[in-house]
């Protein structure tokens, strides 16, 4: 068994983030799931819609706390398309009320419900497991029996946890014709355990929020203990658990059912990074759309949850209108991949994800760099749920002084100054040769935009972990960094930095370990940067 060295700052930041998330939920919902009062019964009239709070029997009869929005002009003479919205992780059943009201006013029956194990719903947290997917179908059954929902026009959607459940449900229930999945995941393992590295702040945040707002199952507790404790004896168990909860594992079923699927995520999502969504999108065969924009986990959609103007939700409504109502609103004629640069304004449209970069520029990683592990050099990916939001709203990504990074703990390479703007689009890839004097280890690669004063703004990053290597024997590493869209100004450089400690991730470097990065003549090291011409 191997245990990771988890930096104190990582666990502290994650715990604080979890408390803040739970606090936000507490501001709009009862103080504890077990003691929460029953939601008000009866129908309440709203402007242009009515809402009713109900309990829906889920799989095995488990109570699901829900709200039902109906168009205000409903008189029983006709049926309306149905949209089902499972809540996000740790959020109460009123999460989607502002958007549900808007949808009902435009002619939908909308059912929002708390996933099992959270707040007023019964059961335990199954983390989008089979009971959650069965629940989604039970909610549809209930809506068809108790509302004016049209059985031939059914959609699902949601943010984060709701997005994952919606995608999974589209593979098991062919009645679902349209899905909008915002800030979700396609491959759960790749999202939080990519390259065998625990995204420890993300894991602690999810675990903490689940414990504060719900009732984790015994299985979830076991998985979280193994994940945060780096118990490699349970790695295969963790991988199997994640695969069962990954829409990518059910791609054939999802494609066979043919739902129209819209995916949206943020470049800086520190819980579900964008690469796994992009890979999943490329393999979908039905009507599809992919949107990436600045932000962190769920921050791009957040203002829409309060009813404020929000382009993510605007496009979600357009998507449902096109594929549930049949409106010819043009969304299906737009280029299906829509990207917004972190440094620019407006959206760029592409015919596919693979068409996003027009070419590649290599940054040579020449020479040999030897660094000592277990020390944070000052280069890092930021703080979960915060860094991407600062980049989104203030254009303040994590920064580091590249000349001042200690070379004993950070390997650094820099490009020449570029005479023209470099439009980074897509996922950069690192190719290098590593030699460790220990069998296990972790390294984190960063790409920085470096200005004239040497201040580097983080463009992207990604970690990788290795186990059971022969000490002193070189081995190759090919690492895909997290996809992004970032414009490097003319006169700036790109810098590649590799170190061994980052508060976002668990690190597996034994005490006193050293890593050497080399560039053999017959296999030179480089970072390949995807670029787009104007």
């Amino acid at each position: 068994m191997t245990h990771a060295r988890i930096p104190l700052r990582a666990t502290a930041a994650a715990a604080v983030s979890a408390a803040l998330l739970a606090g936000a939920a507490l501001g709009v919902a009862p103080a504890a799931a077990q003691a929460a009062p029953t939601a008000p019964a009866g129908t309440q009239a709203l402007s242009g819609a009515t809402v009713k709070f109900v309990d829906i029997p889920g799989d095995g009869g488990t109570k699901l706390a829900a709200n039902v929005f109906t168009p205000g002009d409903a008189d029983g003479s006709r049926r309306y398309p149905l949209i089902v919205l499972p809540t996000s992780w740790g959020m109460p059943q009123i999460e989607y009320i502002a958007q549900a009201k808007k949808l009902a006013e435009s002619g939908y029956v909308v059912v929002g419900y708390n996933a099992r194990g959270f707040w007023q719903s019964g059961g335990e947290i199954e983390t989008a497991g089979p009971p959650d997917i069965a629940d989604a179908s039970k909610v549809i059954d209930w809506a068809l029996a108790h509302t004016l929902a049209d059985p031939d026009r059914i959609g699902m959607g949601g943010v984060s946890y709701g997005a994952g459940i919606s995608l999974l449900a589209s593979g098991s229930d062919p009645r679902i014709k349209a899905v909008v999945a915002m800030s979700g995941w396609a491959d759960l393992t790749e999202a939080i355990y990519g390259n065998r590295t625990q995204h420890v702040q993300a894991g602690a945040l999810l675990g903490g929020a689940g414990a504060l707002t719900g009732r984790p199952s015994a299985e979830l507790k076991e998985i979280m203990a193994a994940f945060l404790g780096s118990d490699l004896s349970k790695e295969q168990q963790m991988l199997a658990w994640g695969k069962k909860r990954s829409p990518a594992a059910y791609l054939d079923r999802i494609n066979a059912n043919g739902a129209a699927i819209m995916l949206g995520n943020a470049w800086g999502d520190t819980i579900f990074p964008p690469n796994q969504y992009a890979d999943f999108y490329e393999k979908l065969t039905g009507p599809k759309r992919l949107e990436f924009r600045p932000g962190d986990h769920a921050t791009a959609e957040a203002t829409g949850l309060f009813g404020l103007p929000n382009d993510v939700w605007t496009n979600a409504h357009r998507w449902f209108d096109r594929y549930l109502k049949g409106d010819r609103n043009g969304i299906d004629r737009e280029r299906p991949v829509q990207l917004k640069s972190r440094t620019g304004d407006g959206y760029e449209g592409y015919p596919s994800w693979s068409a996003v970069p027009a070419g590649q520029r290599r940054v040579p990683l020449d020479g040999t760099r030897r660094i000592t592990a277990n020390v944070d050099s000052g280069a890092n990916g930021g703080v979960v749920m915060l860094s991407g939001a600062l980049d989104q709203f203030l254009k303040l990504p994590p920064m580091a002084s590249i000349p001042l990074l200690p070379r004993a703990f950070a390997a650094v390479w820099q490009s020449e100054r570029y005479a023209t703007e470099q439009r980074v689009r897509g996922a950069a890839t690192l190719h290098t040769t590593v030699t460790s004097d220990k069998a296990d280890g972790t390294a984190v690669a960063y790409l920085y935009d470096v200005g004239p004063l040497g201040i580097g703004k983080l463009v992207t990053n990604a970690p990788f972990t290795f186990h059971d290597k022969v000490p002193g024997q070189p081995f190759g590493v090919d690492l895909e960094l997290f996809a992004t869209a970032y414009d490097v100004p003319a006169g700036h450089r790109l810098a590649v930095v590799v170190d061994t400690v980052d508060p976002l991730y668990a690190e597996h470097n034994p005490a006193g370990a050293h890593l050497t990065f080399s560039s053999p003549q017959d296999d030179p090291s480089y970072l390949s940067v995807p670029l787009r011409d104007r």
Side-chain angles (χ1 to χ4, degrees), residues 289-374:
R289 182 179 176 93
L290 176 68
E291 299 182 354
F292 284 142
R293 49 181 59 83
D296 208 313
H297 184 66
T299 62
E301 305 89 352
T303 57
L305 294 175
F306 296 99
L308 299 174
N310 181 280
D311 55 351
V312 186
W313 283 101
T314 296
N315 288 339
H317 286 235
R318 294 174 65 214
W319 192 256
F320 284 133
D321 288 348
R322 175 66 187 90
Y323 290 102
L324 297 182
K325 289 183 177 180
D327 289 358
R328 299 293 178 178
N329 55 21
I331 194 168
D332 56 323
R333 296 192 300 273
E334 296 171 359
R335 290 190 171 187
V337 175
Q338 294 287 321
L339 311 181
K340 186 175 184 181
S341 170
R342 291 164 46 205
T343 50
D345 296 315
Y347 287 86
E348 305 164 358
Y350 300 91
S352 66
W353 174 251
S354 59
V356 170
Q360 302 282 331
R361 180 184 293 276
R362 285 191 175 186
V363 178
L365 308 182
D366 50 9
T368 299
R369 308 284 194 277
R370 184 175 188 266
I371 61 174
T372 300
N374 309 126

Side-chain angles (χ1 to χ4, degrees), residues 154-480:
I154 297 172
M156 283 194 69
V159 176
S160 187
Y161 195 42
I165 290 175
S166 297
L167 282 175
L168 287 161
S170 73
S172 66
D173 194 327
R175 296 175 296 180
I176 298 169
K177 305 303 182 186
V179 172
V180 175
M182 298 169 273
S183 292
W185 73 91
D187 187 326
L188 186 59
T189 302
E190 178 65 24
I192 62 174
Y193 190 54
N195 302 307
R196 301 184 77 183
T197 308
Q198 297 97 322
H199 294 210
V200 67
Q201 283 191 16
L205 171 61
L206 294 172
L212 286 170
T213 62
R215 299 166 298 283
S217 66
E219 182 184 32
L220 176 57
K221 291 177 182 178
E222 181 183 2
I223 290 294
M224 289 303 299
F227 178 83
L228 294 174
S230 298
D231 186 349
L232 289 181
S233 69
K234 295 185 177 180
E235 184 177 37
Q236 293 306 311
Q237 179 184 349
M238 289 188 285
L239 294 175
W241 180 87
K243 183 176 181 180
K244 183 183 293 186
R245 290 156 172 82
S246 295
Y250 308 99
L251 182 67
D252 289 347
R253 298 185 198 174
I254 293 171
N255 282 334
N257 287 342
I261 295 177
M262 172 179 154
L263 305 172
N265 203 358
W267 295 120
D269 194 322
T270 45
I271 295 181
F272 302 133
N275 300 40
Q276 40 92 36
Y277 243 20
D279 293 342
F280 180 72
Y281 168 84
E282 288 286 84
K283 297 172 184 175
L284 291 172
T285 58
K288 58 184 180 179
R289 182 179 176 93
L290 176 68
E291 299 182 354
F292 284 142
R293 49 181 59 83
D296 208 313
H297 184 66
T299 62
E301 305 89 352
T303 57
L305 294 175
F306 296 99
L308 299 174
N310 181 280
D311 55 351
V312 186
W313 283 101
T314 296
N315 288 339
H317 286 235
R318 294 174 65 214
W319 192 256
F320 284 133
D321 288 348
R322 175 66 187 90
Y323 290 102
L324 297 182
K325 289 183 177 180
D327 289 358
R328 299 293 178 178
N329 55 21
I331 194 168
D332 56 323
R333 296 192 300 273
E334 296 171 359
R335 290 190 171 187
V337 175
Q338 294 287 321
L339 311 181
K340 186 175 184 181
S341 170
R342 291 164 46 205
T343 50
D345 296 315
Y347 287 86
E348 305 164 358
Y350 300 91
S352 66
W353 174 251
S354 59
V356 170
Q360 302 282 331
R361 180 184 293 276
R362 285 191 175 186
V363 178
L365 308 182
D366 50 9
T368 299
R369 308 284 194 277
R370 184 175 188 266
I371 61 174
T372 300
N374 309 126
V375 177
D376 190 340
S377 71
N380 66 69
V383 177
V384 68
M385 295 288 292
L386 177 62
S387 296
L390 291 174
D391 187 38
Q392 174 186 356
F393 295 111
L394 301 176
K395 296 193 185 306
L396 288 176
M399 292 184 281
S401 174
I402 303 304
L404 296 182
L405 291 176
R407 271 38 177 188
F409 310 116
V412 180
W413 299 265
Q414 293 194 72
S415 72
E416 74 280 5
R417 294 186 188 277
Y418 297 114
T420 58
E421 181 181 66
Q422 305 293 295
R423 301 174 67 216
V424 181
R425 298 291 185 275
T429 54
L430 174 77
H431 174 77
T432 191
T433 297
V434 180
T435 306
S436 175
D437 54 11
K438 305 292 183 181
D440 307 296
T442 297
V444 185
Y446 310 88
L447 179 63
Y448 284 98
D449 159 25
V450 185
L453 298 180
I455 301 300
K457 294 182 177 181
L458 186 66
V459 177
T460 182
N461 76 99
F464 69 91
T465 292
F466 57 89
H467 295 292
D468 302 322
K469 297 295 184 182
V470 178
Q473 182 172 312
F475 59 93
V477 170
D478 288 287
L479 175 67
E480 183 179 75

